[in-house]
Amino acid sequence: MSAAESLGPALLGRLPSEVRKPAYDRSALRPGIAHIGVGAFHRCHQAEYTDDLLAKDFDRWGLVGINIRPPLLGQTLGRQGGLYTRLIRQNDEVEARVIGAIVRVVDSQESAAPALEVLSSPEIEMVTMTVTEKGYCHIPSSGALDLGHPDIVHDLAIPQAPRSVPGVLARALELRMASHGRPVTLLSCDNIPANGIILGNVVRAIAERRGSGLTDWIEANVAFPSAMVDRIAPATTGADIDTVEERFGYRDSGVVVGERFRQWVIENRFAGRAPRWDRVGAIFVDDVTPFELLKMRVLNGAQTTLAHLGVLGGFEHTSDAMADPVLAAFVRRMLSEETLPTLMPVPGISPPAYVEQSLARLTNTAIRHRNHQIATDGSQKIVQRLLNPIRDRLAKGESIALLSVPVAGWMAYLVKASARFGRAWRVCDPFAERIAAIADRVGSDSQALADAILAIDAIFDPALAASGAFRAHVIAGLEGLLSNDPMGFVGQACVVPTDARLKQPARSA
Ligand code: CS2
């Protein structure tokens, strides 16, 4: 049993001097922002920016954290009065800071009522969210609300007791409209393309089915800006919690660990007042698109590539995969040759330098980002990270030999989790069962596997699935990655000129 004291308001004054503390009077803090999905990423990103802002320009911008999915917050952050330690780790460096921006936490997993109470209260003017890609209940290939999603079916039938994020938000807006009527900004901080537009789509799709004038009220009173968010902050481990205790002498069950790099670009379109995060490093812009494409295609594209290929090659973390010369060379070549030409000019950023900076970030050995964690929900990630750049290149008649490899990597990762392939590992993906069923049915025939998986139109839009070049590369990729030497295949993909590979037979005999 640990004898160390737990973090909480009473301990703040007695923390070691090297631990940075909130530089404002927490007792004067009033809630103005609600955040849904208080995981490691939020605590390492938006909450830190907010903490910076409170220290610089104190205002009524305290955060109320809401979780409508596990983990429970009351047991961790709640017990610590909202305080937690944010560690920055860069290889051997460790820098600790206690973040004080979260004033209250609300668990709303049994029922939506506690979340609705916060979200509909007049003091909340900004709602941010990190609810993961699948939290939006949209169809990845189209961005539209998935009306067949069980939680959406439920929320349309019983709107007063919603379960889904779009259902909770639509109900909260309805309550705002019916009570004080104050405007609010709903700011998505997830890695989905045009995240503000998708959030607006799914909330409006529910509102339209409610009638009651809600759609018009939303049009006049709610903003859905898009945003690009960035900082690598993996799920916290027991070792992270122990590190804080060993180095700084206190126990903190809310610890989060992130890299030094951080970025936040927000579309300058708010309903009512917004926190001036632009005074502490965020950038407000008219159009987030170039930043979003850059980040999701380069950094996230590299992460997804290293995650799936990394698991297939037997590597545990991103940094382990990056330490492998074959994988590192492959990902650099893929980004430089195929991804970079699909990007728009980005104000103030040189894309080739950004590629190098991103690759360098992924070598940080102190960030223990598990490949299986990044591979989680791959079906919700590959559209924006890999398939959209592939579509852009195909439209211009350009080669997609390299970008197709991680798409096949995603397929192979799910195929190998099936019973027929010996359940190589456990996976978490909304399409896992469907792909396992395909693998169990067709076995190791790469062509049949590719055809059946490419037919899933919620992921692969039919025009893309019909591309002969794409299909040929995916089949060849599956063949190579499901073989006994997947890394040999990746190595070959890296050295063979891309146009020569197109002429190779798609399958071995
Ligand atoms: C990761 C992201 O798990 C994942 O999907 O790719 O969480 C990634 O670390 C962040 O987007 C970095 O900003």
Side-chain angles (χ1 to χ4, degrees), residues 41 133 191 229-233 259 295 299-300 303-304 361 369 373-374 381 385:
F41 184 74
E133 292 84 351
N191 294 314
V229 291
D230 197 4
R231 174 170 261 173
I232 299 174
E259 58 174 343
K295 192 262 175 167
L299 181 88
N300 291 148
Q303 288 177 303
T304 283
R361 289 166 62 195
H369 209 176
Q373 186 191 342
I374 299 168
K381 299 175 180 174
R385 299 181 183 197

Side-chain angles (χ1 to χ4, degrees), residues 4 27 29 39 46 53 55-56 70 72 148 162 183 198 205 213 222 298 301 324 392 464 469 494:
S27 64
L29 198 51
Q46 302 94 46
L53 179 60
K56 189 167 190 195
L72 290 169
I198 291 193
V222 184
V298 175
D324 178 68
D392 290 353
L464 174 63
C494 213

Side-chain angles (χ1 to χ4, degrees), residues 289-371:
T289 317
F291 297 93
E292 183 189 290
L293 296 184
L294 178 77
K295 192 262 175 167
M296 288 195 298
R297 295 183 180 191
V298 175
L299 181 88
N300 291 148
Q303 288 177 303
T304 283
T305 301
L306 293 164
H308 294 122
L309 299 182
V311 171
L312 294 165
F315 300 103
E316 174 81 8
H317 303 99
T318 305
S319 59
D320 302 325
M322 270 303 282
D324 178 68
V326 170
L327 281 178
F330 175 81
V331 82
R332 173 174 276 109
R333 186 165 173 206
M334 178 188 90
L335 296 177
S336 318
E337 286 184 22
E338 294 193 359
T339 308
L340 272 188
T342 72
L343 302 173
M344 301 163 78
V346 196
I349 299 180
S350 143
Y354 182 89
V355 166
E356 286 311 315
Q357 181 189 39
S358 300
L359 292 173
R361 289 166 62 195
L362 300 175
T363 62
N364 183 350
T365 52
I367 296 293
R368 314 292 285 164
H369 209 176
R370 293 185 66 241
N371 287 323

